[in-house]
Amino acid sequence: FLSVIKFYFGGSPSIPPELTMIKALEEAGVLNIEANKEEIVSLKHKHAQLQINLQMQASKIIYGLGTTAESYNNLRAIFKQLSYNIPTYKTVSSSFKSKYIPWNEDPETVVELLKFSDKKSIISILEYGGNRYYHISLSNRCIWILHLTIPLIKELYTHLTDCTLSLIGFFWYDGGKIGKTVNGLASGLKIAGVSLKNSDNERLVLPKYITRSLISYCWILNCRSIKENGDNVKHLESMLLEQNDFLKNSSIQNEGFKLNVSIIGCASDHGIRSKLLWRDDNSESRCGECTYIFIKTSPYRFLNWAHLIKCERINKTNFVQHRNMPMTSLLERSCDLSELGLMTYDNLHNFGGHLKDLVPLLISLVPKSDRKFVAEKISEYTGIRTSTILNAPDSFFYFKGYHWRKLSLHLHDIFIPLCKPKFKNSLSALFDILTEIHLFNYIHWDRDDDNFEILRLRYCMLLFMYALQLRDVFSDIEIQELDTLYLHKLFIHSLKVFIYVNLAGCSCEGGEGMISIMKHLFRFKNRTVDAAFGTVLVRLMFKEDAKFKLASKENFSDSIVFTDDFINNYNPKPIKVHLIGDTMLVFKDFLKYCGFEDNFIQTHCDTKYRKRTSYETKNYYFKDQIDARVMKSQLLQSRIKFTTLDELRRQQNGNNLKNLEYSINKDDMLSTSFVYTRLFMAAQLDPENFTKTYPLFEREKIFKETNEEVPVTTDEQKQLDKIQRFTLKINNLLNCLDVLNAIQAHIETIEVYLDNDEKEAIPQSYLCLELDGNLAEGIEFLREEKWKDQFAASSAKNEFKKKFSYDLFGAFKDKYNYCFNIISRAHIFYSKINQRIMDYCTLEFVVEDKPLADKLIAHCAAFKIANRKFEIEFKRAAKFFYSVFFFIYVNPTLIDHLPNSPFLKDIFNDFTVSKDKFGEQYVVDVDKWSNCVIDEEEEEEEYEEDCEENSEDSEDFDDQIDISNYDAMDIETESRVSNKRTRQSIRIQQQSVPLIKTQSQFCDSLKSYFRANKYNAQQLSKIYNTISSLINREFILLRETDDGHCGFRSIANQIHLLTGDNLDHIEVRKAALTRFMNVTVENGIKELLFTQQFVASFVTKHLQAIDNGKEEPTPYWMDDYMLAEITYTQKVNINIVEVSERLESNEIDVHTYSMNYEGTDCVGTCNIISWQNHFDSILCKPPDGNLTRLQTILYRASHTQYSSL
């Protein structure tokens, strides 16, 4: 459109402007005028035709091209000057969002809508939980897919009619945060197989640009602003199954094309999938989708194929037998989808998750002296700076799935140079097999190829070999790190799923981006999740439409991991499976388990049997190396794109395998390699008996100049550990610098926004008045500068260090002064603007110059995001800087270990001289610290505490800067932990207890509490008077964690206050539930008060909360039934102060009720305040005045996530 407008303004003045515009639009082909030009002879007719097309194109301009409201209104104004009227931005948006159809609309109606309507919307409204959500139903999604695919097929088969397009797919769903405080649950359709057949049931070849467009994409169905919990996931599954039933009973046809869709299962991570599966009461954990049970005490069990092939898929016939409970109707319907039953697979989580376990295990076996080499290699291959201490949980925090995959292709280059010579063959074989498994999980194989079953057999053999090789490389203790659900699903589930579809089609990668897409739409506070997702669906439809129209004209982007160069240069080796002893029989059963007949094996494989004195061996390998040839041929085909029907036919009729020029070295085969072969004696054939007693890698050598292994002394090891920790801190600081530099460049880029806004003529009505909020405040553009807290002294003892470090940090701050100035300017400017301009979308006649308001809001939001990122990284930089400073302060010789960074060298240059000069000017403020209690042990652990990452800094932000890795792992010895506990008890005793004595103190304590800060002084006074009259003592209001356990945790805290017993809130809940089941129900009260369904539901919910553990949130909070049981189990009286709000007014009601223990051995009274299903503790001052227990509870509440144990 820009080129058209430019042409118009640059046209000849002798030509009428209307004719110039029409000609430009016609030649540019933008408006696609379909009328016969011979019939349009006059300018008037052309004007009318153009007017119609402009109306039709308005929605495409907004959603298809992603035009902002400001740009669209400017373009509309230009057309209006030429007497062309197109609808406003708001009109187009509203018309699309108001046009929705039922999810179960007749397919014929939907097909006609897509054919003839100018607004091709297939969006529906879902009613759930009293809310309305936008979504696209499964049937309407499939109709849309057929609508997009037909034109591409017709380009190749111009006269094709009466044919069937068949799709095999999986449901995908996942949950996550889509905003700072907003959770989302999304679902979609993943297509894993595509085929086209004519009326004679003959297969027609489809080019890869069609099949890949369908398969390598997640067709989003819905995204709701609800949590990922069991109830919501079950409702989502039920809804998808209901839509699938409607789809199976419907006939979808369009222009002679019929669509068949088969949903055969689910491709999602096990975390969300497990919320559909009932927990069993066995002590061992299990997969839940098959009969496999994890037993960690049997190290090699999960690699024993004799045991693994006994696994069965869980279905309707065996569910009760293996899960010890009846199958729910929802799971029965899931099992009916296909022969897979409940079995699922997802290559992103399963293969990627296994790599995430395997690589740290390998690193942990590498000597510390060689980890620098490993870190450098990992940084080189992934592009992420990596610390030398690589075995910490947070070491790979910034690694995504594709980082692990890229790394897996280079494991040979990283670890083999460090490996002992006698283990190199074994470890190298492991990496080669892993690369092949990687390929099979991510390449789209041609399943219609005559030799595809050979390819599948190769994959099965690779998994068998991989299990054997893992047993050889790792000891019984080391291998336990890999006994996880990821490897189990890779072994068993992928074998079964590969029978039906390619594993590359079973991926969450296309759908995981849905959460990120949603995050980008929450720029302003007045944007709701539902409105945002409605916009997402409309834009997705336009982008999908454009993608399919250009599919045959554009090449697919190169894979990030499997590049064209890698695929073209990769030469698969022929496979040889080396079997010893009993594994020969196991392998035969394994092939049957994978679905291969003996005739097929004998046709394509040769064997070589050898019997020796103590044992016998057998080798399996493919005839004529056909497995390697088939794989190479398919790898090359996966990178070829066919665009014409003749090329497709040549591909279909040609014999590519014979024409393939691929030379294979018969002696160079992919096989297992065993170090233990020499140990195989007649009595030791079972590999379970072998335990490796020697290390995989060379022992580290402190003195590199000698070739002898020198034992490490205690002092040398301490010095080495100190240097490594110092290097870790330096690495964190340098990572911080990288991120800050990138943010600085971004802020300097958006400075132009501020420059332009300051030059604008701001209307008087935009200015902020005293009583109104400002724009910066409204968009939460705050200036906190919390980084300064890092240099705040806590005692006279550390005041000098803190001030001296702040003085040195001045050079660091000077480096980013320009950023501070830009952000400060922006904050001052947008603080002058009234935040009411944010309501320009809803208040039609209040805000003048709406485009300017839209621009100011967008620019203020951009600075807010940049400022927040900058402040978080700068706070981290201050922490890491002080950590480095403290190391050097204690041991100045560490300056020699600073990296070659001129910036750091300048800061710490002449450290001792600078310290002396600063000391000459330093004066201790005696009055300031006169009443301060000094912690004598504080200095020892200061660097440990000060450099820890604050959890509030680890928020997720939409960031285009993808660099650096923070490794905040600190090594602690047992003695250090012990010292910490000692100092912890000292601090507890020193902590003052802020007891509430007056009403004003009570009101002040609730100012920052979101449950109470909305109440006025009169309402708070009402609450205070009720509590005071109830307990008649000084008290503290302790806010319990809002996770569903709050009531039980409150009881646990008050039991500790009364008796000193250290109770877990899970114990409180469990004891109450036990009495409910064993006493209340059994004594016949059940028939009087409860229905059977209520008791079953009640018990199940609380059992689930208990099984999940104390750190897992639950929606099943404490109710009156549980309170009544607690009085008996804990022998306490309970007073409840209940605060409720009246719906018809802003008033509140406060009333009390009690539950009393009837025995004579009552230990005391617990007091609780209830805020609509949330409970907080009212802790009273003990009668004896001893505050030790109260101090313990307060310390836990302020220093840990939970106040009780």
Side-chain angles (χ1 to χ4, degrees):
F1 269 94
L2 293 176
S3 61
V4 172
I5 300 302
K6 184 178 179 181
F7 180 89
Y8 162 67
F9 285 111
S12 172
S14 60
I15 303 176
E18 291 86 350
L19 187 58
T20 304
M21 176 67 76
I22 291 173
K23 284 184 176 181
L25 291 170
E26 286 178 350
E27 293 176 9
V30 174
L31 296 178
N32 299 320
I33 297 179
E34 299 175 356
N36 189 343
K37 292 185 179 181
E38 294 179 358
E39 298 177 2
I40 304 177
V41 295
S42 67
L43 180 62
K44 183 177 180 181
H45 286 98
K46 286 196 174 188
H47 187 286
Q49 182 65 28
L50 179 58
Q51 179 68 62
I52 294 172
N53 279 275
L54 282 172
Q55 300 282 348
M56 296 173 62
Q57 292 289 329
S59 55
K60 181 178 180 181
I61 297 171
I62 293 175
Y63 292 111
L65 303 178
T67 309
T68 64
E70 181 184 2
S71 301
Y72 177 85
N73 290 332
N74 291 337
L75 183 63
R76 182 171 176 264
I78 294 173
F79 278 105
K80 196 170 183 179
Q81 294 175 8
L82 304 171
S83 303
Y84 294 103
N85 292 316
I86 58 177
T88 65
Y89 188 93
K90 185 176 181 180
T91 301
V92 176
S93 302
S94 301
S95 65
F96 244 100
K97 291 179 182 177
S98 62
K99 189 175 182 63
Y100 54 88
I101 59 177
W103 71 267
N104 54 356
E105 182 64 78
D106 181 50
E108 288 188 17
T109 304
V110 182
V111 169
E112 294 300 311
L113 174 69
L114 294 178
K115 274 186 180 179
F116 303 110
S117 174
D118 60 325
K119 291 183 175 58
K120 297 178 172 56
S121 177
I122 54 172
I123 300 173
S124 305
I125 294 288
L126 169 69
E127 300 278 353
Y128 177 62
N131 297 318
R132 291 156 58 92
Y133 302 96
Y134 293 98
H135 76 117
I136 297 178
S137 70
L138 183 62
S139 60
N140 291 342
R141 227 350 164 179
C142 293
I143 295 170
W144 173 248
I145 291 171
L146 181 63
H147 171 78
L148 296 178
T149 310
I150 288 176
L152 296 181
I153 298 176
K154 284 192 168 184
E155 286 183 4
L156 295 166
Y157 302 98
T158 53
H159 303 293
L160 183 64
T161 57
D162 193 15
C163 64
T164 302
L165 179 67
S166 299
L167 306 176
I168 300 176
F170 292 87
F171 289 131
W172 166 83
Y173 36 72
D174 199 5
K177 280 195 174 294
I178 54 178
K180 190 173 182 181
T181 58
V182 182
N183 292 289
L185 184 61
S187 66
L189 170 65
K190 278 291 299 182
I191 298 174
V194 182
S195 65
L196 179 68
K197 293 184 178 180
N198 60 18
S199 55
D200 297 327
N201 205 31
E202 295 175 342
R203 172 181 167 269
L204 302 175
V205 181
L206 287 174
K208 289 182 176 58
Y209 65 79
I210 294 180
T211 57
R212 295 290 178 80
S213 297
L214 295 170
I215 291 176
S216 61
Y217 185 72
C218 185
W219 301 87
I220 298 299
L221 298 177
N222 71 4
C223 181
R224 291 180 283 165
S225 55
I226 55 178
K227 291 184 177 180
E228 182 191 325
N229 57 36
D231 291 338
N232 290 331
V233 175
K234 288 171 185 174
H235 178 269
L236 175 61
E237 174 87 353
S238 177
M239 182 186 70
L240 293 174
L241 291 173
E242 183 182 6
Q243 294 180 10
N244 185 52
D245 292 339
F246 175 79
L247 177 63
K248 288 192 291 187
N249 296 325
S250 302
S251 176
I252 300 177
Q253 296 187 22
N254 188 3
E255 300 182 27
F257 287 80
K258 184 179 179 181
L259 181 66
N260 282 340
V261 181
S262 298
I263 305 296
I264 65 172
C266 176
S268 62
D269 68 272
H270 193 75
I272 188 170
R273 182 68 177 170
S274 62
K275 292 177 174 61
L276 295 170
L277 305 174
W278 284 55
R279 291 179 178 272
D280 55 29
D281 56 358
N282 291 341
S283 57
E284 303 90 355
S285 60
R286 63 173 72 222
C287 162
E289 299 172 354
C290 69
T291 60
Y292 180 77
I293 299 176
F294 294 88
I295 303 178
K296 293 282 188 180
T297 54
S298 180
Y300 292 113
R301 181 176 179 273
F302 74 105
L303 300 176
N304 188 343
W305 281 107
H307 174 75
L308 289 176
I309 59 178
K310 295 177 183 177
C311 289
E312 301 176 19
R313 290 169 281 191
I314 294 290
N315 51 37
K316 290 192 291 188
T317 59
N318 62 6
F319 186 88
V320 175
Q321 174 188 352
H322 293 287
R323 301 309 305 277
N324 308 317
M325 61 188 68
M327 194 178 206
T328 64
S329 59
L330 182 62
L331 292 179
E332 286 185 4
R333 293 168 65 193
S334 298
C335 285
D336 289 336
L337 290 175
S338 73
E339 294 181 10
L340 288 174
L342 293 179
M343 189 173 283
T344 63
Y345 185 73
D346 162 41
N347 62 4
L348 172 65
H349 291 94
N350 297 326
F351 183 76
H354 173 58
L355 291 175
K356 195 174 180 180
D357 293 331
L358 176 65
V359 175
L361 174 58
L362 287 167
I363 292 171
S364 68
L365 303 179
V366 174
K368 292 181 179 179
S369 58
D370 291 325
R371 290 186 186 173
K372 182 178 181 182
F373 170 80
V374 176
E376 290 173 351
K377 284 291 185 181
I378 292 177
S379 301
E380 176 186 345
Y381 295 132
T382 62
I384 296 180
R385 190 195 302 270
T386 310
S387 169
T388 55
I389 299 181
L390 292 163
N391 57 345
D394 295 333
S395 296
F396 303 101
F397 177 78
Y398 284 91
F399 275 51
K400 306 299 181 185
Y402 67 89
H403 289 125
W404 290 110
R405 290 178 54 207
K406 286 170 69 175
L407 189 59
S408 73
L409 300 180
H410 302 283
L411 295 180
H412 190 282
D413 298 333
I414 297 173
F415 294 104
I416 296 299
L418 306 175
C419 185
K420 282 189 173 182
K422 62 181 177 182
F423 300 117
K424 284 190 176 182
N425 290 338
S426 184
L427 191 60
S428 180
L430 181 76
F431 295 154
D432 290 342
I433 296 171
L434 184 66
T435 299
E436 290 266 331
I437 295 174
H438 187 179
L439 282 164
F440 272 93
N441 271 269
Y442 280 90
I443 295 294
H444 296 275
W445 309 103
D446 183 5
R447 300 181 66 88
D448 295 313
D449 190 291
D450 294 337
N451 295 314
F452 173 74
E453 283 298 291
I454 295 175
L455 208 58
R456 191 170 74 84
L457 177 58
R458 179 182 172 96
Y459 178 66
C460 296
M461 289 182 173
L462 285 165
L463 289 179
F464 190 90
M465 295 162 60
Y466 190 58
L468 296 178
Q469 203 63 49
L470 284 173
R471 295 168 75 158
D472 183 70
V473 170
F474 298 107
S475 71
D476 56 344
I477 297 175
E478 296 160 358
I479 200 66
Q480 294 181 43
E481 298 296 324
L482 303 182
D483 188 5
T484 63
L485 187 70
Y486 301 131
L487 189 56
H488 161 69
K489 286 199 169 187
L490 191 63
F491 278 148
I492 299 300
H493 293 216
S494 71
L495 281 179
K496 296 299 183 182
V497 173
F498 200 25
I499 296 174
Y500 303 97
V501 293
N502 286 329
L503 299 177
C506 309
S507 176
C508 287
E509 287 180 278
E512 297 286 340
M514 182 71 253
I515 305 301
S516 298
I517 292 173
M518 291 297 293
K519 285 183 180 180
H520 286 289
L521 298 171
F522 288 98
R523 298 171 62 191
F524 317 125
K525 289 196 303 185
N526 61 349
R527 195 76 178 269
T528 65
V529 176
D530 310 322
F533 189 63
T535 303
V536 169
L537 288 179
V538 175
R539 290 189 175 176
L540 281 178
M541 289 183 63
F542 273 97
K543 289 186 177 181
E544 290 159 4
D545 185 49
K547 174 184 176 182
F548 272 74
K549 286 179 179 176
L550 297 173
S552 60
K553 301 174 185 177
E554 63 180 2
N555 293 318
F556 289 101
S557 58
D558 197 10
S559 170
I560 298 176
V561 180
F562 293 142
T563 62
D564 287 341
D565 288 340
F566 176 84
I567 294 296
N568 293 330
N569 296 324
Y570 184 76
N571 295 320
K573 299 177 182 178
I575 275 187
K576 181 176 72 174
V577 184
H578 182 60
L579 305 173
I580 303 176
D582 292 342
T583 54
M584 291 187 292
L585 296 176
V586 174
F587 185 67
K588 191 174 182 180
D589 294 336
F590 168 78
L591 295 178
K592 288 182 180 179
Y593 181 78
C594 297
F596 295 104
E597 300 291 337
D598 290 341
N599 291 337
F600 181 83
I601 303 298
Q602 293 170 6
T603 302
H604 297 287
C605 294
D606 279 335
T607 59
K608 188 174 182 179
Y609 175 79
R610 180 180 297 175
K611 187 173 183 179
R612 297 188 177 181
T613 306
S614 57
Y615 60 91
E616 52 188 357
T617 65
K618 193 173 187 178
N619 294 335
Y620 277 82
Y621 50 88
F622 287 88
K623 296 178 180 179
D624 300 324
Q625 297 84 37
I626 191 171
D627 59 323
R629 297 182 187 278
V630 171
M631 186 173 181
K632 181 65 176 180
S633 174
Q634 287 239 23
L635 286 174
L636 294 176
Q637 289 180 41
S638 69
R639 288 300 186 265
I640 300 174
K641 180 181 176 185
F642 303 103
T643 56
T644 66
L645 187 57
D646 291 337
E647 289 174 323
L648 283 173
R649 286 171 177 164
R650 284 198 298 273
Q651 169 64 19
Q652 187 177 17
N653 299 327
N655 192 336
N656 289 288
L657 197 56
K658 290 183 180 179
N659 298 331
L660 178 67
E661 296 182 2
Y662 179 42
S663 59
I664 298 177
N665 184 357
K666 295 182 179 180
D667 297 328
D668 187 14
M669 304 188 77
L670 179 57
S671 172
T672 48
S673 177
F674 298 117
V675 177
Y676 300 132
T677 305
R678 58 185 174 80
L679 299 175
F680 284 146
M681 308 301 291
Q684 297 179 326
L685 288 178
D686 185 4
E688 298 282 359
N689 297 328
F690 302 132
T691 301
K692 193 169 59 180
T693 58
Y694 36 78
L696 184 66
F697 298 100
E698 293 283 358
R699 183 182 175 187
E700 63 180 309
K701 299 172 184 178
I702 301 300
F703 301 101
K704 297 291 184 179
E705 62 273 9
T706 66
N707 294 324
E708 300 178 1
E709 295 185 357
V710 180
V712 182
T713 65
T714 304
D715 292 339
E716 288 172 338
Q717 188 62 51
K718 285 183 177 180
Q719 181 66 13
L720 182 63
D721 290 343
K722 184 183 295 184
I723 294 173
Q724 285 187 334
R725 288 200 302 273
F726 179 67
T727 305
L728 169 65
K729 307 304 179 185
I730 289 290
N731 188 73
N732 286 338
L733 185 57
L734 291 176
N735 275 307
C736 233
L737 276 169
D738 289 342
V739 177
L740 282 170
N741 291 338
I743 297 175
Q744 178 176 244
H746 174 66
I747 291 175
E748 291 174 356
T749 301
I750 65 174
E751 183 184 11
V752 67
Y753 296 165
L754 180 61
D755 294 339
N756 294 336
D757 291 348
E758 288 177 336
K759 296 174 184 176
E760 288 280 359
I762 306 297
Q764 190 70 24
S765 60
Y766 279 28
L767 300 182
C768 182
L769 303 177
E770 290 184 5
L771 300 179
D772 293 331
N774 61 67
L775 182 60
E777 216 173 53
I779 299 184
E780 298 179 348
F781 178 10
L782 307 175
R783 300 283 291 126
E784 297 176 333
E785 296 189 343
K786 290 184 177 179
W787 62 270
K788 293 182 178 178
D789 297 342
Q790 182 58 43
F791 303 101
S794 58
S795 67
K797 189 154 188 162
N798 71 358
E799 185 182 39
F800 176 79
K801 289 195 298 292
K802 291 286 186 177
K803 287 190 174 182
F804 179 42
S805 62
Y806 182 77
D807 184 68
L808 292 180
F809 191 72
F812 201 100
K813 185 179 181 299
D814 292 342
K815 181 179 175 65
Y816 300 101
N817 265 342
Y818 190 58
C819 272
F820 280 109
N821 293 336
I822 296 174
I823 292 173
S824 179
R825 271 179 57 209
H827 186 263
I828 293 171
F829 176 78
Y830 294 112
S831 296
K832 297 176 182 177
I833 309 298
N834 197 313
Q835 73 170 359
R836 292 200 65 195
I837 69 168
M838 295 174 66
D839 298 329
Y840 76 92
C841 302
T842 54
L843 304 178
E844 191 67 29
F845 301 101
V846 172
V847 178
E848 56 180 300
D849 197 353
K850 294 176 185 177
L852 174 60
D854 188 18
K855 185 172 69 171
L856 291 173
I857 293 170
H859 291 173
C860 184
F863 276 104
K864 170 243 179 159
I865 293 172
N867 170 67
R868 183 67 177 134
K869 291 176 185 175
F870 185 75
E871 287 201 343
I872 285 176
E873 295 303 330
F874 209 78
K875 182 180 177 182
R876 282 175 173 157
K879 289 187 176 187
F880 294 142
F881 179 87
Y882 185 76
S883 181
V884 172
F885 163 84
F886 193 85
F887 267 89
I888 296 176
Y889 187 90
V890 175
N891 191 353
T893 59
L894 287 176
I895 293 179
D896 298 334
H897 295 275
L898 283 173
N900 189 21
S901 169
F903 180 64
L904 293 181
K905 292 280 188 182
D906 289 343
I907 292 178
F908 294 105
N909 189 31
D910 297 330
F911 183 84
T912 306
V913 176
S914 301
K915 178 182 173 183
D916 294 339
K917 286 185 178 179
F918 186 82
E920 293 174 0
Q921 305 170 2
Y922 169 72
V923 179
V924 179
D925 189 348
V926 179
D927 296 334
K928 179 180 179 181
W929 305 111
S930 58
N931 298 322
C932 177
V933 179
I934 299 175
D935 188 346
E936 296 296 336
E937 301 294 331
E938 182 178 14
E939 183 173 353
E940 283 186 27
E941 289 290 326
E942 187 175 351
Y943 74 92
E944 295 285 356
E945 296 172 1
D946 284 338
C947 69
E948 288 178 358
E949 285 272 7
N950 194 333
S951 60
E952 70 181 33
D953 291 341
S954 58
E955 299 176 17
D956 247 348
F957 292 97
D958 298 325
D959 195 356
Q960 297 176 356
I961 306 164
D962 186 15
I963 55 178
S964 85
N965 172 41
Y966 294 108
D967 185 348
M969 178 267 194
D970 290 315
I971 302 172
E972 279 192 340
T973 61
E974 283 298 321
S975 60
R976 194 171 292 160
V977 173
S978 176
N979 289 339
K980 264 192 172 179
R981 289 173 181 164
T982 304
R983 284 192 298 279
Q984 193 177 84
S985 63
I986 294 173
R987 287 170 184 156
I988 292 174
Q989 294 172 11
Q990 293 173 350
Q991 185 176 359
S992 61
V993 179
L995 292 169
I996 295 174
K997 302 177 182 179
T998 65
Q999 180 177 318
S1000 61
Q1001 289 178 334
F1002 179 77
C1003 295
D1004 290 340
S1005 69
L1006 295 180
K1007 279 183 180 179
S1008 60
Y1009 191 25
F1010 73 96
R1011 297 184 187 278
N1013 59 11
K1014 56 187 174 183
Y1015 300 142
N1016 56 37
Q1018 184 179 359
Q1019 292 168 330
L1020 291 176
S1021 173
K1022 192 174 183 180
I1023 299 173
Y1024 173 75
N1025 291 334
T1026 304
I1027 296 175
S1028 297
S1029 61
L1030 179 68
I1031 61 177
N1032 198 26
R1033 265 188 295 172
E1034 300 172 25
F1035 64 92
I1036 289 177
L1037 193 61
L1038 180 65
R1039 306 170 193 176
E1040 301 291 352
T1041 307
D1042 189 8
D1043 59 354
H1045 298 296
C1046 49
F1048 301 97
R1049 186 179 292 109
S1050 175
I1051 296 294
N1053 281 326
Q1054 297 189 62
I1055 293 295
H1056 176 76
L1057 194 60
L1058 293 169
T1059 67
D1061 294 340
N1062 289 320
L1063 276 182
D1064 187 312
H1065 63 79
I1066 290 291
E1067 296 176 44
V1068 176
R1069 186 193 290 259
K1070 190 173 183 179
L1073 184 63
T1074 302
R1075 188 181 190 280
F1076 177 84
M1077 292 188 293
N1078 297 339
V1079 180
T1080 305
V1081 175
E1082 296 300 329
N1083 286 347
I1085 304 176
K1086 166 184 170 183
E1087 287 76 11
L1088 297 175
L1089 299 179
F1090 312 118
T1091 64
Q1092 184 177 359
Q1093 292 82 0
F1094 171 81
V1095 172
S1097 174
F1098 183 87
V1099 172
T1100 300
K1101 289 176 179 179
H1102 284 285
L1103 278 176
Q1104 182 179 345
I1106 293 169
D1107 291 342
N1108 287 344
K1110 63 182 180 180
E1111 298 196 7
E1112 185 69 24
T1114 177
Y1116 311 124
W1117 49 76
M1118 185 169 65
D1119 52 24
D1120 288 349
Y1121 302 124
M1122 296 298 276
L1123 278 171
E1125 304 299 341
I1126 289 172
T1127 60
Y1128 287 95
T1129 58
Q1130 305 302 331
K1131 300 179 182 180
V1132 293
N1133 300 324
I1134 302 177
N1135 294 328
I1136 299 97
V1137 178
E1138 188 173 50
V1139 180
S1140 58
E1141 300 178 6
R1142 298 179 191 173
L1143 296 177
E1144 66 275 4
S1145 66
N1146 293 327
E1147 295 299 318
I1148 64 170
D1149 290 324
V1150 184
H1151 65 276
T1152 63
Y1153 62 97
S1154 300
M1155 293 189 178
N1156 297 321
Y1157 175 61
E1158 297 176 357
T1160 58
D1161 52 346
C1162 179
V1163 299
T1165 301
C1166 298
N1167 301 290
I1168 300 175
I1169 185 169
S1170 168
W1171 316 84
Q1172 298 176 342
N1173 296 328
H1174 176 78
F1175 300 91
D1176 289 327
S1177 301
I1178 304 174
L1179 304 180
C1180 301
K1181 182 179 179 180
D1184 59 2
N1186 188 347
L1187 300 178
T1188 304
R1189 294 173 185 169
L1190 189 56
Q1191 289 170 330
T1192 302
I1193 296 173
L1194 293 179
Y1195 181 84
R1196 286 198 302 237
S1198 61
H1199 288 77
T1200 63
Q1201 184 178 357
Y1202 306 109
S1203 57
S1204 71
L1205 293 179

